[in-house]
Amino acid sequence: MSSENSPQSPEQQLRKPRVAVVFGGRSSEHAISVVTAGAVLRSIDRTKYDVLPIGITTDGRWALTADDPERMAIADRALPSVDQIAESTDGGVVLSVDPGNREVVYSEPGSVPKALGEVDVVFPVLHGPYGEDGTLQGLLELSGVPYVGAGVLASAVGQDKEYMKRVFTSFGLPVGPYLVIRPREWEQGPEGAKGAAARKKITDFAAEHGWPLFVKPARAGSSMGITKVEDASGLDEAIIEARRHDPKILVESLLRGREIECGVLEFEDGPRASVPAEIPPVTAHDFYDFEAKYIDSATGLVPAPLTEEQTAEVQRLAVEAFEAASCEGLVRADFFLTEDGEFVINEINTLPGFTPISMFPRMWQESGVGYPELIDRLIQAALRRPTGLR
């Protein structure tokens, strides 16, 4: 495959670029992806771009969906899904893997396939495995279609919190104490010999770093499957909950301090950091979990009340994390500002949420880049960037 995008045909030069917004997916973050897509569809500049919404159902079917952002929002605490807005219960969208053909085709059983036209760029707003983890990015690289956001490697590193932390450590970025419980260490459940060994591994970790601990899926987001564990009696239930989302789990010690986030956006001259935000303690929740973020709409402070020196330091670290993981397009970097005044990086998110209450667009709004401009910059950066090795 060529390392450069194919030159545009006369027809491509005359028409507006066609953007396929791909959302939903097979992960436990399906609903939040739908909400994010609704916000993007509502704000994308239709005078500048043609838009093709494509939803992926929880069983992996690519569906043609209604371009109806109002039906993609959380309503009365009910989460939306692709199945609710798909135009057909069995029709499917197919993207060619031939890098010389960007045609999208829609077909239903018993009907003649219908060409939907060429796609110039994909805007993936998928969260979690099978979308944010490099799998979709690999498909788009094979297809020769430009896309918004990180490439295959950075997406995979950004999704797997174990290897993310290993990369950060190798680049000298500050990371908190953690350990990993791999699938084979719990394959027989809590009653097996391996389960007992895994439990001891965690309690030994707690003896060194103290309780409480956070038990979480290694490759999930949106605070899915995370449990704050106060003592050994809660370990089994927490591990089982995390493994509902991912057979590999991460255990982290509690870092006492403030939660600080910072956005990174790719400009023509390289990545720049936004003003940071702070996630204040959520009084109605034990920590900043899924319900606090999306159901009860807990919000952060933008900009974060930091000194000029602290702001400059967290911005520097955010850009360093972006570069360390070979990211492209955008990243939200999450930190703890510890009680001794040091920043510790918790994780990066290579496809952060774009819901109306999401921190990434709020931080850039405060930095002078409004939501429509943010979307436009991401699309333009993707169109400038070649597919293939770069």
Side-chain angles (χ1 to χ4, degrees):
M1 182 174 62
S2 170
S3 63
E4 297 183 358
N5 291 332
S6 302
Q8 288 191 327
S9 67
E11 185 271 337
Q12 287 175 311
Q13 294 171 359
L14 289 174
R15 64 172 172 79
K16 293 182 288 186
R18 182 170 292 115
V19 181
V21 178
V22 180
F23 60 96
R26 296 163 55 188
S27 83
S28 55
E29 298 175 78
H30 177 98
I32 297 309
S33 174
V34 177
V35 175
T36 297
V40 171
L41 290 171
R42 187 180 293 110
S43 302
I44 196 168
D45 187 350
R46 304 305 178 100
T47 67
K48 193 170 183 177
Y49 304 106
D50 284 332
V51 179
L52 178 66
I54 299 174
I56 302 177
T57 63
T58 53
D59 61 2
R61 178 173 63 93
W62 289 45
L64 195 62
T65 68
D67 187 359
D68 187 355
E70 301 308 316
R71 294 172 59 195
M72 302 165 77
I74 298 174
D76 298 324
R77 303 178 74 88
L79 300 174
S81 72
V82 168
D83 285 312
Q84 295 169 356
I85 56 174
E87 295 193 354
S88 166
T89 58
D90 50 11
V93 174
V94 177
L95 178 66
S96 171
V97 293
D98 177 358
N101 176 18
R102 296 179 180 176
E103 190 86 10
V104 173
V105 175
Y106 177 75
S107 62
E108 294 189 32
S111 301
V112 176
K114 179 174 67 174
L116 301 178
E118 291 191 348
V119 166
D120 298 295
V121 61
V122 169
F123 197 133
V125 289
L126 294 142
H127 303 309
Y130 311 109
E132 190 180 353
D133 59 350
T135 50
L136 176 67
Q137 290 75 15
L139 171 64
L140 296 173
E141 292 287 351
L142 289 174
S143 302
V145 179
Y147 54 92
V148 168
V152 175
L153 173 65
S155 296
V157 168
Q159 186 64 40
D160 191 315
K161 295 177 178 63
E162 175 193 358
Y163 288 98
M164 179 196 308
K165 292 175 185 293
R166 290 181 182 274
V167 167
F168 290 158
T169 300
S170 72
F171 276 83
L173 291 165
V175 172
Y178 71 97
L179 66 82
V180 178
I181 301 297
R182 302 188 183 282
R184 64 179 178 272
E185 296 181 79
W186 198 260
E187 61 188 1
Q188 297 170 340
E191 304 305 324
K194 289 184 177 180
R199 194 183 299 106
K200 183 179 185 304
K201 181 177 175 181
I202 298 173
T203 55
D204 288 347
F205 177 82
E208 180 179 359
H209 299 288
W211 299 93
L213 303 176
F214 286 94
V215 177
K216 61 176 64 175
R219 295 164 291 192
S222 296
S223 297
M224 291 281 194
I226 300 178
T227 304
K228 183 179 180 182
V229 182
E230 300 291 346
D231 55 48
S233 66
L235 275 180
D236 289 357
E237 186 177 350
I239 292 171
I240 291 168
E241 170 60 20
R243 282 174 54 89
R244 289 200 310 112
H245 302 270
D246 186 349
K248 182 168 81 167
I249 67 170
L250 201 73
V251 179
E252 296 175 335
S253 64
L254 173 67
L255 292 177
R256 300 188 185 280
R258 300 160 63 187
E259 293 188 48
I260 307 294
E261 299 184 349
C262 190
V264 179
L265 183 63
E266 182 182 346
F267 286 74
E268 290 82 356
D269 60 351
R272 301 182 198 170
S274 70
V275 300
E278 179 170 5
I279 308 299
V282 185
T283 56
H285 298 263
D286 205 21
F287 60 97
Y288 194 46
D289 62 6
F290 178 86
E291 289 219 350
K293 287 182 180 179
Y294 299 109
I295 304 299
D296 295 335
S297 302
T299 57
L301 304 175
V302 187
L306 300 171
T307 66
E308 289 186 12
E309 291 77 12
Q310 288 172 328
T311 296
E313 176 66 3
V314 76
Q315 289 175 326
R316 180 187 70 82
L317 290 170
V319 172
E320 283 195 13
F322 182 97
E323 299 281 31
S326 298
C327 294
E328 295 167 297
L330 72 165
V331 148
R332 193 195 71 231
D334 300 346
F335 298 85
F336 292 105
L337 177 56
T338 63
E339 293 176 338
D340 60 5
E342 299 296 322
F343 283 104
V344 174
I345 187 164
N346 183 37
E347 64 181 42
I348 57 171
N349 194 315
T350 57
L351 280 175
F354 271 75
T355 69
I357 61 171
S358 295
M359 298 307 297
F360 186 84
R362 287 186 60 204
M363 287 187 287
W364 279 107
Q365 176 75 46
E366 189 67 25
S367 304
V369 181
Y371 199 113
E373 182 187 352
L374 182 61
I375 292 171
D376 183 61
R377 282 192 172 277
L378 290 169
I379 294 171
Q380 290 299 316
L383 288 169
R384 287 194 306 270
R385 189 170 63 237
T387 53
L389 298 177
R390 52 189 183 272

